[in-house]
Amino acid sequence: MLQSRSIKLPTMAQFNLSKLNKVRVQMSILRKRIWDAAPDSVKDFPLKRAEDVVLQQLLLLGQKTVKGSLIALFILSFISDVIFCISRNKELMIPFGLFVGCLMADFLKEASRELFPDSEKTGLRRPLLGIGCFFVFVKFISTFFTLQGQAFLLHVANGGLVQILWLWKGYWREGMDKVDRIPF
């Protein structure tokens, strides 16, 4: 015959504040003993620098993940737009829209350079982000237009986004050449 035993755990109301203070004191004493017992090499380890390195690597990983996800989304959206134009017999809108989008992205980039001359020091990252958001907005707005306008605007947005990604790749490579690699 099996016997089961149950333990009655105290609730927060039953838990004395003095017991909590005793636990805190014991934990503090334990922490001090462990720190005193640790070798000097552990005490001298640059924990702040290690924390900064880990944080930097996590941010870099997050940036790469977001970038990869957005590029995959853009590629799938581009393929969807091409299939849409082919199914509606608007194939000639594809290269024309891409060309206009690329020209528009270059024009907006140059205009932002003239309007914000300080952005050249930072590598034009924020203006490129703003221009990219503009083309994403154009892509969303295109759903409210007629068939011909929709096909044209979809590919204008795709052309602009391709140009922005191309420019961003160039600035990203320049930035990666300047970043110091941290050995592990």
Side-chain angles (χ1 to χ4, degrees), residues 87-116:
S87 70
R88 303 290 183 198
N89 289 328
K90 302 290 181 192
E91 296 89 359
L92 292 178
M93 289 291 177
I94 297 171
F96 185 64
L98 290 174
F99 180 71
V100 170
C102 287
L103 287 178
M104 218 167 132
D106 280 338
F107 173 76
L108 290 173
K109 180 191 71 144
E110 292 300 324
S112 69
R113 241 188 211 158
E114 288 182 17
L115 290 174
F116 308 110

Side-chain angles (χ1 to χ4, degrees), residues 14 49 65 105:
Q14 295 170 338
R49 184 173 185 277
T65 303

Side-chain angles (χ1 to χ4, degrees), residues 32-44:
K32 288 178 184 176
R33 285 185 184 170
I34 290 174
W35 184 253
D36 291 339
D40 289 335
S41 62
V42 172
K43 292 178 185 176
D44 295 336

Side-chain angles (χ1 to χ4, degrees), residues 4 6 9 14-15 24-25 49-50 56 67-69 107-108 114 121-122 132 140 153 161 179:
S4 65
S6 64
L9 297 173
Q14 295 170 338
F15 198 69
R24 286 183 183 164
V25 169
R49 184 173 185 277
Q56 183 183 20
K67 183 179 76 172
S69 299
F107 173 76
L108 290 173
E114 288 182 17
K121 297 173 187 171
T122 62
F140 283 125
L153 286 177
L161 288 172
V179 172

Side-chain angles (χ1 to χ4, degrees), residues 105 108-109 112 126-136 161 164:
L108 290 173
K109 180 191 71 144
S112 69
R126 284 192 181 161
L128 286 180
L129 182 63
I131 295 168
C133 289
F134 169 74
F135 282 115
V136 169
L161 288 172
I164 294 300

